[in-house]
Amino acid sequence: MREIRVGLIGFGTVGSGTAEVLRLQRERLQRKTGADVRLHRVADIAIEQLPPEFAEVELTRDADEVVAAPDIDIVVELIGGIEPAKTFILKAIAAGKHVVTANKALISQHGREIFAAAAAANVEVGFEASVGGGIPVIKALKEGLVANRIESIIGIMNGTANYILNRMTDEGLDFNTVLKDAQAHGYAEADPTYDVEGIDTAHKLVILMSMAYGVHLRLDQVSTEGISNIEPVDIEFAREFGYRIKLLAISRNHGDSFEARVHPTMVPNQELLANIGGAFNAIQFTGDMVDDVLLYGQGAGKMPTGSAVVADIVDIARNILNGAINRVPSLSYLPENLREAVITPLASLRCPYYFRVTVQDKPGVLSAITGILGRHGISIQSVLQQGREEKGVVPVMMRAYEAEEEAVRAALKEIDALEVCAAPTVKIRIMEDE
């Protein structure tokens, strides 16, 4: 039986999970591929020895030993970040190795260079684990939905943000309290910026849009807002009017341009996305042939993500065995058919809105605010005012009918400039009627 030898760079959470999946499923993978797909060498600078069950696996502190080793067929990069991960991957490709990675930041920002290098070297790059953890999102988009024009992508793509928002909603806790608890339990990083400010989600949206529409897209083309300004009062308003707040990635296909945005959204309770709990992810594609397809599951974690990494390893192993390298292009579209993405300006977006204006509790304040909104063509559907806080400050929550983003920005800038305004106005877009 032929061996397909895997070299692993990084034996952290996902790396050790990948190794465990390969070990536990070794016999099953033999029956499915006709080859012995096994871990042969590991590079990691932080460990002195591998667990006893990996006694036959060679350990090194030098990743170049994995990259250059002539007996390695597939190099798996699981250290994350841009460098030195990018250098290791490009070296592996230059050495004629196939590559698998879970590195969404790298693929979203440097995928174009990596895929071009792989095509030139006639090797493959697998990146299933870069989006959705254990959910087979990439394969579904690359192959399962290949006959569809993708009309939209809407999803919850960050488990940490979803966990925080769910606990705020279900337990009435504030953002900072939940974040600290999430960090203590390992659900959030010590520096949670990428998760809570939407950057991690934006990385994933770039990858999915590139595949869905056949475009080259930059991270800075995605309008990105996070959840750190969400307060219990916003959660309570959403609940009262039949919504739950979710951090959504949203893209819509307008033919000659595409929406690309990540932001908190009030989602109607009856929508499936409103009911995604815990740290789970859910991604909905809408195709012109299939209509809506929702993929749901664990978006992170040692074994789910390891499962996705091994799925790529097996795909590549099968292609090696059958002489079918690059049978499916990395981004589903042939490289020569990829085009530059044109992004629909966020300023032209029209949807209903929620506003939380924090003002001094004085006569005439509410009429001044509604007057400004009215001058910008923004009509208010409902208003809710909470009790007075310290120093006579009161939050006023408003639900607006559909309005244009550009008008909303101008109105809120004018409102925030009022002397009675005690803090920047918080706005949250509402999903329905977008």
Side-chain angles (χ1 to χ4, degrees):
M1 181 179 291
R2 176 167 176 184
E3 282 189 349
I4 300 292
R5 294 189 171 189
V6 177
L8 176 60
I9 302 174
F11 202 76
T13 300
V14 178
S16 60
T18 298
E20 193 70 6
V21 173
L22 283 170
R23 183 183 71 84
L24 292 173
Q25 305 293 0
R26 186 172 178 179
E27 195 174 310
R28 176 171 285 104
L29 297 182
Q30 288 176 2
R31 297 199 304 270
K32 290 189 173 185
T33 65
D36 184 15
V37 182
R38 69 183 188 89
L39 182 61
H40 182 63
R41 187 175 282 114
V42 169
D44 194 295
I45 61 173
I47 58 175
E48 297 297 327
Q49 63 180 27
L50 295 171
E53 58 267 31
F54 298 107
E56 65 179 16
V57 178
E58 298 176 20
L59 176 65
T60 177
R61 295 177 63 85
D62 186 357
D64 284 331
E65 289 186 18
V66 173
V67 169
D71 57 348
I72 295 295
D73 300 295
I74 302 170
V75 172
V76 180
E77 178 277 308
L78 295 175
I79 58 175
I82 303 300
E83 287 293 358
K86 178 185 172 185
T87 295
F88 291 150
I89 285 176
L90 291 176
K91 281 184 176 180
I93 290 170
K97 313 293 186 188
H98 305 284
V99 171
V100 174
T101 181
N103 196 330
K104 61 246 177 198
L106 181 60
I107 293 298
S108 65
Q109 295 179 67
H110 299 281
R112 188 172 186 172
E113 178 183 357
I114 290 167
F115 296 140
N122 196 33
V123 298
E124 297 197 9
V125 177
F127 52 100
E128 178 67 67
S130 65
V131 181
I135 311 170
V137 177
I138 300 297
K139 195 169 185 70
L141 194 55
K142 184 188 291 188
E143 298 183 56
L145 298 173
V146 70
N148 285 259
R149 168 190 151 114
I150 302 301
E151 305 288 0
S152 66
I153 305 165
I154 302 177
I156 296 167
M157 301 184 194
N158 185 273
T160 300
N162 201 48
Y163 172 85
I164 291 171
L165 288 171
N166 277 315
R167 287 202 60 194
M168 290 177 69
T169 300
D170 297 337
E171 301 175 39
L173 301 173
D174 65 81
F175 173 84
N176 288 323
T177 298
V178 179
L179 175 59
K180 288 176 182 176
D181 187 62
Q183 289 170 322
H185 286 86
Y187 296 125
E189 300 289 342
D191 180 358
T193 304
Y194 272 40
D195 291 326
V196 302
E197 298 304 338
I199 301 167
D200 174 81
T201 300
H203 284 145
K204 296 168 183 175
L205 185 61
V206 167
I207 294 170
L208 295 182
M209 287 181 62
S210 298
M211 300 177 65
Y213 309 134
V215 295
H216 294 301
L217 181 69
R218 301 187 314 275
L219 184 64
D220 63 8
Q221 292 177 286
V222 181
S223 299
T224 306
E225 300 171 20
I227 63 170
S228 56
N229 289 330
I230 304 296
E231 294 188 3
V233 67
D234 306 317
I235 300 282
E236 186 55 38
F237 182 95
R239 188 201 320 274
E240 183 161 336
F241 287 95
Y243 301 102
R244 288 178 72 100
I245 299 176
K246 296 292 184 181
L247 180 66
L248 293 188
I250 299 174
S251 176
R252 289 191 169 88
N253 184 352
H254 297 296
D256 55 352
S257 69
F258 311 95
E259 294 177 30
R261 47 194 171 98
V262 173
H263 51 70
T265 308
M266 287 191 179
V267 183
N269 287 337
Q270 64 269 24
E271 294 286 336
L272 288 172
L273 288 173
N275 298 289
I276 304 302
F280 281 74
N281 284 193
I283 300 168
Q284 178 178 293
F285 300 115
T286 301
D288 61 345
M289 298 291 107
V290 297
D291 203 6
D292 295 337
V293 174
L294 181 71
L295 302 173
Y296 161 80
Q298 296 191 52
K302 177 177 178 175
M303 301 308 284
T305 309
S307 169
V309 172
V310 172
D312 276 339
I313 292 171
V314 169
D315 266 356
I316 293 172
R318 285 170 167 161
N319 290 343
I320 291 172
L321 293 168
N322 290 284
I325 298 303
N326 285 322
R327 179 183 64 86
V328 180
S330 296
L331 294 175
S332 191
Y333 285 80
L334 291 169
E336 62 268 25
N337 293 329
L338 294 169
R339 55 196 171 102
E340 297 299 325
V342 177
I343 301 303
T344 308
L346 186 62
S348 66
L349 172 70
R350 293 189 63 85
C351 68
Y353 285 85
Y354 159 88
F355 307 127
R356 171 165 49 85
V357 188
T358 305
V359 293
Q360 296 292 328
D361 190 7
K362 296 180 179 180
V365 170
L366 187 57
S367 62
I369 292 170
T370 55
I372 291 171
L373 293 171
R375 287 199 300 275
H376 288 276
I378 302 165
S379 298
I380 298 301
Q381 184 176 1
S382 57
V383 178
L384 182 65
Q385 180 173 322
Q386 293 283 356
R388 180 182 294 189
E389 298 178 355
E390 294 181 9
K391 300 178 182 178
V393 171
V394 60
V396 179
M397 285 73 69
M398 303 178 177
R399 183 168 52 151
Y401 289 104
E402 183 180 286
E404 187 175 64
E405 175 84 14
E406 187 172 27
V408 167
R409 290 177 182 175
L412 297 190
K413 183 178 180 180
E414 194 173 333
I415 289 169
D416 288 348
L418 295 173
E419 286 188 13
V420 294
C421 196
T425 299
V426 172
K427 75 172 182 294
I428 301 176
R429 299 167 187 90
I430 298 175
M431 174 181 274
E432 59 188 11
D433 299 329
E434 279 191 341

